[in-house]
Each structure stands twice: as C-alpha cells, then as structure tokens.
Amino acid sequence: EVQLVESGGGLVKPGGSLRLSCAASGFTFSNAWLSWVRQAPGKGLEWVGRIKSQGDGGTTDYAAPVKGRFTISRDDSKNTLYLQMNNLKTEDTAVYYCAHYSNGWDWGQGTLVTVSS
Amino acid sequence: DIQMTQSPSSLSASVGDRVTITCRASQAISNSLAWFQQKPGKAPKPLIYAASSLQSGVPSKFSGSGSGADFTLTISSLQPEDFATYYCQQYNTYPYTFGQGTKLEIK
C-alpha cells in the first residue's frame, strides 16, 4: 500500500523559510516522479512543482508563482521528498500535499503552512 | 498553461440521482485526465485516472470518459457520502492544472 506522509508545516512570518518533508513507502521511490500540490483556504487545487527520478535526470519544474523561491529535492536513501520554501508570502498560506503517479494517483494527507505576521 | 474548465460550478441533486460533470481543456491532452473527490477538511481522493480508469478501491458507480479536450465524470445512484466537491486535473503538460471544482450538494 502506498503511503505519503507530509510534515514540517507551521506558522512562519512573511519573508521567512520553511522546509516540508514527505515520507514515502509502498513503491520504488528511486524510480518515482513526485509532485507537490497546494490548496489555499477555501480555494481550489494548485500544482506547485515536480521532480523526476534521478535516473531520468532528477530535474524539476515549478509553477510560475513559486519559481525562484521554492526548491524541490529528494533523498532516495531515505525515501523522502522535500519542498524548501524561501521568501514566503501570505499568499503561500495553504495545505501542501505530495503526490505520486503510477497507474493512478496517490496523495498524502497534507501539512498546513500559514504565512502571517 | 492549459486551462481546465469544469461545468457546472455547483450542482444540486437528490439521493438516487445520476449526475454528470464535464471538464474541458483549452487544448488537447490525450487521455491524461484525473478526477478527484474532496470533502471538507480532507485531502482530495483520487477517483479516476487516464480519463476512464478507476482507482483501486473506488466503487464502480463512478465512471469517466473522454479524450482529447472533453471529458466527463458520471456518478450513478447518488448516496449521501457522494456529496462533495469534484476536481479534474490534466497531467499531460507542465504545469499540471486543475479545474475550478464542482460542488455537488443535496437537493
């Protein structure tokens, strides 16, 4: 059974930084392409970015609102995905989900990030 | 970016009804289309992938169809637990994009 468990959310001031983690199990993590998706309170879903497997180059793509501020990385030895968020803005307040696609989607339960002074 | 447009934005229906939600992409996306169900305070639950394939454990009352740019999600014989918000998502082209959601409410 695939499991994705996000952690690291919390309250941070505008301009601050936070790193989210997503611990994965139930599939071959090193071969997986993984994504982050977010949902602001009362709003719809927004894809944040994706990282390819190291075997496919390990490259990343980002949504325009976070490009240059957010960095996705992975540690295949720990089966863990990361989202480093810098220069946070109030509009980054959201629940952040990690997601994996392989013959269907799997999502975690999310972690809440609140950016407020 | 590919725009995903769902219709309707909200829908009232009764227990036992059959409903259909549509999702239109601003350009062709092959069959790279997923549907999700979300209840308040919960993570989105994947229902359909590849436009018409049922995710493991999802009841067959949910079905998806379409290809190219036009897609539908059909829910047969609505039960109280089906009243939720539904989203489509294209994963053919980065950035992946979602529809704005369809809120299904009890009439």
Side-chain angles (χ1 to χ4, degrees):
Chain A
E1 179 194 4
V2 171
Q3 282 204 318
L4 298 166
V5 180
E6 302 91 340
S7 61
L11 175 64
V12 61
K13 288 182 168 54
S17 298
L18 205 59
R19 188 178 82 157
L20 307 183
S21 300
C22 172
S25 61
F27 61 97
T28 306
F29 186 86
S30 60
N31 292 342
W33 293 24
L34 299 150
S35 290
W36 286 98
V37 181
R38 68 183 181 181
Q39 186 173 35
K43 302 297 185 183
L45 299 165
E46 180 183 30
W47 180 80
V48 172
R50 177 232 69 210
I51 186 167
K52 294 182 179 180
S53 65
Q54 294 294 356
D56 289 318
T59 55
T60 51
D61 282 283
Y62 298 94
V66 307
K67 197 167 187 178
R69 300 188 298 122
F70 289 14
T71 302
I72 298 173
S73 62
R74 60 193 298 158
D75 186 337
D76 291 349
S77 69
K78 296 181 178 179
N79 283 5
T80 301
L81 174 72
Y82 299 102
L83 179 65
Q84 177 67 44
M85 303 184 293
N86 297 331
N87 189 21
L88 281 160
K89 304 176 181 182
T90 55
E91 54 264 38
D92 294 319
T93 294
V95 176
Y96 285 74
Y97 301 97
C98 60
H100 164 246
Y101 182 85
S102 176
N103 287 330
W105 283 99
D106 296 290
W107 285 43
Q109 290 305 300
T111 187
L112 175 63
V113 172
T114 303
V115 185
S116 175
S117 55
Chain B
D1 298 1
I2 296 176
Q3 305 301 315
M4 305 300 291
T5 304
Q6 287 182 234
S7 60
S9 295
S10 62
L11 175 59
S12 293
S14 300
V15 171
D17 283 352
R18 172 187 172 103
V19 298
T20 297
I21 299 169
T22 65
C23 181
R24 174 165 288 177
S26 60
Q27 64 189 73
I29 58 170
S30 185
N31 70 336
S32 300
L33 191 285
W35 289 98
F36 298 84
Q37 176 195 65
Q38 188 176 34
K39 297 180 180 179
K42 301 295 187 182
K45 174 185 177 182
L47 299 175
I48 301 282
Y49 68 98
S52 60
S53 296
L54 210 58
Q55 293 259 171
S56 176
V58 173
S60 58
K61 64 189 300 182
F62 293 94
S63 63
S65 66
S67 179
D70 292 301
F71 303 87
T72 61
L73 171 71
T74 299
I75 312 169
S76 62
S77 188
L78 281 171
Q79 296 302 304
E81 61 269 21
D82 300 327
F83 292 91
T85 299
Y86 292 84
Y87 294 93
C88 64
Q89 180 212 19
Q90 69 82 16
Y91 53 97
N92 185 72
T93 303
Y94 293 109
Y96 294 167
T97 44
F98 293 86
Q100 80 278 15
T102 294
K103 188 172 184 179
L104 177 56
E105 298 175 304
I106 300 177
K107 184 182 290 184

